Amino acid sequence: MRKFLPAVLMFLVSFTPAFGKEKKCTTDLKRPVPQEARDYAKLINANDSDIPCLSCHFAGNIIDGKEVKDIGVLTHPTGKKLKCITCHDVNSKNRYFLKKEDPELCLDCHKDKAVVFKGSHGKLGRKCSGCHSVHNAQGGYLSKVVYGEISPMEPPVDGFCLACHDPEGMAEHKVLQSIYNEHPLGVKNPTTRLPGKRISCVTCHDPHTYKGELLRIPVKKNSELCLACHSDKNLKGSPHNLSNDKGACLACHTPHNPEYKVLWSKKPGKGKTINEKMCSSCHNTAACSKKLQTTVDSKLPLINQMTGHPAKNGESGIVDCVTCHDPHNGK
Ligand code: HEC
Ligand code: HEC
Ligand code: HEC
Ligand code: HEC
Ligand code: HEC
Ligand code: HEC
Ligand code: HEC
Ligand code: HEC
Ligand code: HEC
Ligand code: HEC
């Protein structure tokens, strides 16, 4: 793309109006438009009224011996109502000839995003450009940052978040710190209460909000967030409906940085089997651990010792605590 094209240069040199030392741009609509500019306009879905600007601002264009800045391929959308000159005014004294500075410029149209500055993400500074690049963005949603290794199965927005929240990221609060799996991502989202066909970071979180852990539905107290998808796990009436200031489910599970399999939030206790280790984080399992040797009614599930879940179709499993007990559902 950034190829040097002598023919274009000659073309431009002969037609570009001489612009003064301080004024670099022109709004002259009658200037001839090189084919490169038209191709570029098509590539970025620009509007016809943007073509005068793009007639100089395309990749590889050289004026006065200097390469003119282009705006990349991932760039703020323009259209009928939104043009280059909606945000820029080549007579403006502001930097980049902007009509207004970030964030006031952005908030003219994206008013609902202003709350971002009230929450933890406000720590990035009072600018949308903490996360977004209007032009020359690195990834989807005009992201300024991207995460190197992300599975193609995962929604691309996860890479946006992980660029800052993975263990090497710049944010204080990090995820993916454990050797055990985190809450599944990229799998089918079973609810319409939370966005996304597949589960991603923004299914549970809204990066532009300010409440708690930036969650779309609160998790504190009754774990309403979790129940939006796991309605069959309601603990109401169960002795396991433990009061926990992080939410009932988080007494045993955590979506991030788990201590053990099955998103376990506590240090596993002693025991020979997966469930015994989990239950003994709280219970003295001596009373029941003998029962692990007992064979049971074949209708009750055997527990797969790789996953900690009941063994499915042909997987091997053994008698474990949840063979007989369901830690959820009190009745
Ligand atoms: C005749 C060629 C030409 C046209 C047409 C043109 N520009 Fe420029 N523009 C330049 C040059 C040359 C520069 C300075 C070189 C550079 O740093 O990219 C520049 C710089 C800029 C800058 C960066 C200023 C800075 O401080 O770094 C912006 C923003 C810009 N132009 C926007 C526009 C917009 C919007 C239009 C359409 C209204 C436009 N330009 C039309 C040639 C042009
Ligand atoms: C939604 C508002 C918006 C629109 C629309 C917009 N720009 Fe910009 N532009 C900005 C902002 C904000 C910056 C400053 C970027 C920064 O802070 O890095 C900028 C910077 C630039 C720069 C300097 C880039 C650099 O790397 O230094 C150029 C050139 C430019 N714009 C050209 C254009 C052209 C051409 C169009 C139309 C196709 C356009 N802009 C449309 C907001 C906009
Ligand atoms: C004049 C109104 C206007 C201004 C000013 C404006 N935007 Fe937008 N923005 C829009 C519209 C319209 C869309 C397209 C919405 C759509 O396609 O659903 C959009 C889309 C976006 C998107 C989503 C892009 C994507 O690929 O999904 C981001 C991010 C964004 N704007 C950030 C900004 C930032 C940051 C600024 C300030 C530098 C800004 N906008 C200024 C109107 C504006
Ligand atoms: C902490 C990083 C972060 C900051 C700061 C941030 N955003 Fe975003 N933004 C994101 C992420 C991640 C997405 C994509 C996920 C989503 O849709 O929420 C996004 C998506 C968007 C979208 C497109 C989707 C939608 O909800 O319409 C717009 C528009 C947008 N941001 C505007 C802004 C504006 C305006 C600001 C400044 C007031 C801002 N953002 C500040 C991270 C950020
Ligand atoms: C540009 C870097 C950046 C990006 C991108 C980003 N964050 Fe953040 N995030 C931060 C910083 C910095 C903080 C404040 C310091 C901290 O708490 O780690 C923060 C705080 C948070 C917190 C609050 C932690 C707490 O308990 O206070 C959550 C939750 C969070 N981010 C989630 C996300 C999600 C989800 C995304 C993507 C949708 C995202 N972040 C994108 C930098 C980023
Ligand atoms: C299934 C819902 C869900 C998904 C998906 C999810 N989170 Fe979270 N996240 C939470 C909950 C609930 C908390 C609060 C946990 C707590 O209080 O211990 C949280 C907390 C956080 C925190 C603060 C961490 C801390 O130690 O307090 C960050 C940062 C964060 N999430 C980032 C992300 C990122 C990045 C992604 C995507 C890779 C993501 N989250 C996906 C539910 C989710
Ligand atoms: C948007 C829907 C959604 C939300 C919200 C959600 N989950 Fe999940 N969760 C799922 C899906 C779907 C799976 C199963 C993925 C699969 O089939 O492998 C899952 C799997 C799990 C697993 C099994 C993971 C493993 O490693 O075996 C646990 C435990 C879990 N979720 C706990 C929680 C907790 C606790 C919360 C609240 C913080 C929560 N979930 C919020 C959809 C959700
Ligand atoms: C007292 C501890 C405890 C509490 C509290 C708890 N769980 Fe569990 N959970 C477990 C154990 C142990 C397993 C592993 C056994 C299994 O797979 O059936 C498990 C497994 C799961 C699974 C994966 C198995 C499946 O059936 O899909 C999900 C999802 C889950 N829990 C969600 C939740 C949700 C949501 C809450 C809060 C409403 C919650 N749990 C509260 C102990 C607990
Ligand atoms: C977070 C701590 C915690 C974990 C982990 C935990 N429990 Fe409990 N469990 C409790 C508390 C507290 C009670 C109610 C007080 C009591 O009866 O000891 C309880 C009650 C019970 C009861 C009912 C006792 C009665 O008298 O009705 C059974 C059965 C039980 N747990 C089994 C399990 C099994 C099996 C596991 C592992 C899958 C497990 N628990 C994991 C804390 C926990
Ligand atoms: C073969 C089925 C079976 C297995 C396996 C089993 N239990 Fe039980 N458990 C029971 C039955 C039946 C009771 C109630 C009768 C009793 O007190 O013996 C019970 C009672 C309990 C109680 C409450 C009674 C008390 O001691 O106060 C706890 C806690 C408990 N089990 C935990 C566990 C743990 C932890 C494991 C795994 C190490 C486990 N159970 C494995 C069948 C089982």
Side-chain angles (χ1 to χ4, degrees):
M1 254 253 268
R2 291 182 172 275
K3 237 189 303 164
F4 181 69
L5 297 160
V8 176
L9 179 67
M10 289 313 293
F11 184 76
L12 278 166
V13 164
S14 47
F15 287 96
T16 19
F19 29 98
K21 283 272 178 295
E22 67 276 17
K23 182 120 15 101
K24 287 162 182 161
C25 301
T26 175
T27 44
D28 177 5
L29 296 174
K30 296 204 195 77
R31 299 179 55 259
V33 177
Q35 188 56 39
E36 281 83 351
R38 291 197 191 282
D39 294 345
Y40 181 44
K42 211 177 230 166
L43 185 69
I44 63 170
N45 270 322
N47 202 32
D48 280 353
S49 55
D50 293 338
I51 288 182
C53 307
L54 296 174
S55 69
C56 290
H57 290 282
F58 63 85
N61 189 18
I62 307 248
I63 295 177
D64 282 355
K66 262 184 72 189
E67 192 165 315
V68 184
K69 281 167 182 158
D70 64 295
I71 55 172
V73 179
L74 293 170
T75 183
H76 194 287
T78 59
K80 279 208 183 76
K81 291 201 187 124
L82 179 56
K83 307 163 182 141
C84 309
I85 53 166
T86 312
C87 297
H88 295 282
D89 173 358
V90 294
N91 298 310
S92 161
K93 296 263 185 305
N94 291 336
R95 51 178 208 118
Y96 301 113
F97 305 127
L98 288 172
K99 285 191 179 164
K100 287 185 187 173
E101 291 277 2
D102 171 12
E104 279 68 32
L105 176 70
C106 317
L107 295 178
D108 272 354
C109 300
H110 301 292
K111 219 176 272 147
D112 59 317
K113 301 289 190 279
V115 291
V116 63
F117 302 126
K118 286 211 242 166
S120 312
H121 279 156
K123 289 185 187 153
L124 289 161
R126 203 180 169 275
K127 287 206 181 311
C128 307
S129 60
C131 289
H132 295 289
S133 295
V134 204
H135 305 308
N136 292 300
Q138 301 291 303
Y141 302 99
L142 303 179
S143 68
K144 187 179 183 172
V145 287
V146 283
Y147 180 66
E149 314 139 53
I150 188 141
S151 143
M153 298 303 287
E154 264 177 52
V157 65
D158 293 347
F160 195 163
C161 311
L162 290 172
C164 297
H165 288 287
D166 96 306
E168 273 89 51
M170 54 86 83
E172 268 167 63
H173 286 93
K174 299 179 193 306
V175 300
L176 306 179
Q177 304 231 71
S178 166
I179 54 164
Y180 300 105
N181 290 337
E182 302 239 330
H183 193 282
L185 295 169
V187 294
K188 199 166 166 277
N189 178 359
T191 184
T192 49
R193 270 186 81 191
L194 291 162
K197 277 214 177 95
R198 290 186 289 147
I199 297 179
S200 77
C201 309
V202 297
T203 302
C204 296
H205 295 281
D206 176 354
H208 303 106
T209 192
Y210 61 95
K211 284 169 260 158
E213 296 83 13
L214 315 181
L215 293 167
R216 293 184 190 271
I217 300 179
V219 76
K220 293 207 163 96
K221 291 197 182 129
N222 63 354
S223 292
E224 192 191 343
L225 173 76
C226 315
L227 293 172
C229 296
H230 299 290
S231 51
D232 61 324
K233 296 286 186 287
N234 205 332
L235 299 163
K236 242 187 212 149
S238 142
H240 279 164
N241 195 7
L242 305 166
S243 68
N244 180 297
D245 59 0
K246 288 185 155 194
C249 309
L250 276 68
C252 291
H253 302 287
T254 177
H256 305 299
N257 312 318
E259 299 283 352
Y260 193 54
K261 298 181 184 191
V262 201
L263 303 176
W264 207 241
S265 65
K266 304 181 90 70
K267 287 251 177 303
K270 287 209 184 98
K272 286 189 221 67
T273 63
I274 289 196
N275 288 165
E276 193 178 5
K277 287 192 179 105
M278 295 200 278
C279 307
S280 67
S281 323
C282 296
H283 291 283
N284 174 352
T285 59
C288 253
S289 54
K290 293 194 285 302
K291 294 199 165 117
L292 299 183
Q293 272 89 48
T294 350
T295 43
V296 282
D297 185 332
S298 62
K299 281 194 194 107
L300 289 170
L302 297 176
I303 305 305
N304 178 332
Q305 293 297 299
M306 294 302 288
T307 64
H309 300 306
K312 291 182 275 206
N313 359 314
E315 286 172 1
S316 62
I318 60 171
V319 175
D320 208 340
C321 312
V322 301
T323 294
C324 304
H325 300 282
D326 181 351
H328 316 96
N329 297 348
K331 257 169 262 157

